[in-house]
Amino acid sequence: MHDVRARTLKALARRDDAWRDEVHPFGNAKLANKHFKWFHVLEDELSHRGQIVLIRKRLPLSATDRH
């Protein structure tokens, strides 16, 4: 996950505000800019991170020691 995050931040750093504001089709005949889409990517990551923490707490200790 750390590698993916680092690559994502590097790629986003190459983009400017105009890129973020570009509007594209999203869902059922709706439009959204990349700022909106990335907000939802981050929101989903936070949700999944919470799920991962919850699952790891329920694993045997030896399984959670593996990072």
Side-chain angles (χ1 to χ4, degrees), residues 15-38 40:
R15 308 301 198 269
D16 60 9
D17 288 345
W19 176 85
R20 186 188 66 196
D21 292 333
E22 290 175 9
V23 176
H24 298 276
F26 183 74
N28 287 336
K30 295 183 181 181
L31 298 174
N33 64 20
K34 290 179 179 147
H35 180 81
F36 177 84
K37 291 177 183 181
W38 273 102
H40 288 286

Side-chain angles (χ1 to χ4, degrees), residues 53-67:
V53 169
L54 186 69
I55 291 167
R56 289 186 77 181
K57 284 181 179 180
R58 287 170 169 69
L59 292 174
L61 185 57
S62 61
T64 60
D65 286 339
R66 290 181 269 142
H67 290 264

